[in-house]
Amino acid sequence: MRRFREEIISELKELKNRNLLRKMEVLNSGDFPYIIINNKKLINFSSNNYLSLNGHSYIKVKMSEAEERWGTSASASRLISGNLQIFEEAEEKLARFKGKESALIFNSGYQANVSIISTLMKDGDAIFSDELNHASIIDGCRLSKARVYIYRHNDINHLEDLLKKSDDKKKLIVTDGVFSMDGDTAKLPEIVYLSERYETAVIVDDAHSTGVLGEKGRGTEEHFKLKKENVMVLGTGGKALGVTGAFFSCPKYIRDFLINKCRGFIYSTAQPPSVPAGLMASLELVDKESFRRERLKELSEYFYEKLKTKGFAGGTNPSHITPLIVGESEKALYLERLLREKGVFARAIRYPTVPEGTARIRFSITAEHTKEDIDRVINIIEKGWKS
């Protein structure tokens, strides 16, 4: 045990020396646009609560009603005795929301990606994955035992070159809808075109798109006005929808296959019944309260233009996720501390979450921020950049 301890402590010291050691912050409030840490009120620019639905009174009522009727736990996996009727009802509505034949609820987006990809793809198959895809996609690809081709970020020509070389059995292209650290959107129309040309299935991780993109907030496909059977979509409940969990929208035969083969689904206790209730309530609000998307879009464009005018290295397009790339981890940590001192909570993102040399502050806009909040952030950044 002594050797074990020494090796672990040595690795921690190395992370600290490289300015890569991470620590969790304790919030003395809920994760809202304004939070409290160490009894200090801060403007929160690090939350994925894009539509500010977390804590919405209607969602809380519906989740509470579900607990009253169904209990506080499913108490078993869905294949044992945990398949409460409310799960089936929610999955029907989630499927319609995404324009798909069926859906299946998972406990988290990470669990869903890892277990779905590794279930659908196996030895002899091929996966084509964007180089900036989320860690859960990367891990799912690794576990699948399929051949994995990594194409350069949003580089459609490179993707096609790799597809041409493949003579594998089943083929799958997998991509984020909105990339979580850069805020840009996948080139889905071009990806779909290639998928049809080379007889390839597509999975889009819509974790950061669901509720936000599209006229009705239905995600990347709606944003590009696409509706394709070979495109399967992962959505999450813990970001713009303000609840938790994840759901996979797909053809019914895929759902049937996952119920029988997907270890992450089969061997997990189902979510509490309050979760599907909350998801259904959130879908109603996404449909009825379109002003949240409109406000989010307006603020995202305002922030992007402000950064661009000041000459800062932000994202490539207006987005509710806007990175301020500073390069070195030490500089990102300095800027994070400066923002905190001035009343703004925005986290430094470093390797391995982003490539080395691209450390950044990742700003997330929510529907309850104001232009005054954004102006305050811009002023702090400007002063911090000079120092």
Side-chain angles (χ1 to χ4, degrees), residues 176-191:
D176 281 346
V178 168
F179 290 85
S180 61
M181 291 298 129
D182 293 83
D184 56 337
T185 306
K187 296 178 179 179
L188 195 58
E190 293 92 334
I191 288 172

Side-chain angles (χ1 to χ4, degrees), residues 19 33 38 44 123 217 264 369:
N19 293 302
N38 294 329
N44 185 6
D123 188 22
H369 282 131

Side-chain angles (χ1 to χ4, degrees), residues 33-37 40-44 339-340 343-345:
Y34 301 90
I35 57 175
I36 298 173
I37 297 177
K40 183 177 181 179
K41 186 176 181 181
L42 304 167
I43 307 172
N44 185 6
L339 286 160
R340 180 85 61 93
V344 176
F345 185 71

